[in-house]
Amino acid sequence: IDSLYRINIEWADYYRSRINEFSIEKYELQRIWAEKEPLNGSIFGDFDKEFNDNHKMFLVNSPDCSQYIDLDSYQINIEKAETGALIVKGVEVDQEINLVNRQTKEIKRISFFGSASRIESVKWINDNIVVLYGIMDGKLIIKVIELKELIYFLYVYPSVIKEKGNFNKAIRLKEVKFE
């Protein structure tokens, strides 16, 4: 499967340290489907005056930087403390994953997860394919999205993770203090 689209090594290594005999080859394709038109996102883009600049460093730009994926703006509010440190002030249980196009100023919700799931990392393969890495119902998932055709591929790791940890707090958002 082309090593699941050249997996996000940092994310895989984090879980490799928590799962005995972790292997990319164990992922199973669970589902392929197409979406018609994504819903409009409910966040502000980095071009809007209402955008929270404290989120800027966590946006994941496409290779040509014309688009980005925002994993956090819907779910967490990051503020700057008087000391200058970034802190989380409020967390939503659901997570909306948004594709933001800087050229057209469109914000589209490309995925949504409830409280039993979360996307922890994202990687662009090219300007059309994005890969989401996370946990759904206690199992590791990799969701590949072809953006132009809106075709989704869901790969699931077969075993439930016993020691989940928190990739976001430990790695991706390590500069942010969760209160």
Side-chain angles (χ1 to χ4, degrees):
I1 314 167
D2 188 27
S3 292
L4 285 180
Y5 296 87
R6 297 178 294 277
I7 194 163
N8 180 318
I9 299 300
E10 191 175 45
W11 183 81
D13 285 348
Y14 181 80
Y15 285 105
R16 188 173 285 116
S17 70
R18 286 163 171 68
I19 300 172
N20 290 334
E21 300 176 25
F22 177 84
S23 171
I24 298 305
E25 286 70 37
K26 290 183 181 178
Y27 276 89
E28 300 166 356
L29 179 60
Q30 189 174 74
R31 189 172 165 222
I32 300 173
W33 72 100
E35 297 284 341
K36 287 186 174 50
E37 177 68 28
L39 297 173
N40 288 327
S42 58
I43 64 164
F44 293 108
D46 62 354
F47 42 79
D48 292 314
K49 64 180 182 192
E50 299 89 351
F51 178 77
N52 180 346
D53 282 333
N54 298 318
H55 284 264
K56 197 165 245 161
M57 68 188 289
F58 305 110
L59 304 177
V60 183
N61 288 305
S62 63
D64 70 0
C65 294
S66 66
Q67 307 176 90
Y68 67 85
I69 300 294
D70 187 328
L71 297 178
D72 306 308
S73 291
Y74 180 89
Q75 186 178 36
I76 61 176
N77 180 28
I78 300 174
E79 293 184 10
K80 198 170 275 193
E82 289 180 20
T83 61
L86 294 176
I87 55 173
V88 170
K89 289 286 193 177
V91 177
E92 169 67 41
V93 294
D94 297 329
Q95 183 183 26
E96 181 178 286
I97 311 302
N98 287 284
L99 170 67
V100 180
N101 187 313
R102 290 184 173 110
Q103 294 170 333
T104 63
K105 298 202 178 343
E106 289 181 303
I107 301 169
K108 296 294 183 181
R109 180 169 92 178
I110 58 170
S111 207
F112 190 87
F113 292 88
S115 61
S117 306
R118 70 179 175 271
I119 293 300
E120 301 176 306
S121 189
V122 61
K123 180 179 178 181
W124 288 86
I125 302 306
N126 57 43
D127 290 321
N128 179 49
I129 298 174
V130 67
V131 184
L132 307 176
Y133 303 89
I135 298 173
M136 186 170 67
D137 300 322
K139 293 183 177 183
L140 295 178
I141 64 163
I142 296 176
K143 191 178 207 179
V144 179
I145 307 170
E146 292 183 9
L147 298 169
K148 286 186 181 108
E149 301 85 14
L150 283 176
I151 299 173
Y152 291 70
F153 301 82
L154 178 64
Y155 296 89
V156 179
Y157 199 77
S159 54
V160 173
I161 319 171
K162 292 180 178 82
E163 186 188 332
K164 290 183 181 81
N166 191 317
F167 178 82
N168 282 337
K169 287 181 183 178
I171 309 292
R172 192 174 68 81
L173 300 173
K174 64 184 175 200
E175 295 90 356
V176 180
K177 181 180 179 192
F178 285 76
E179 294 185 331

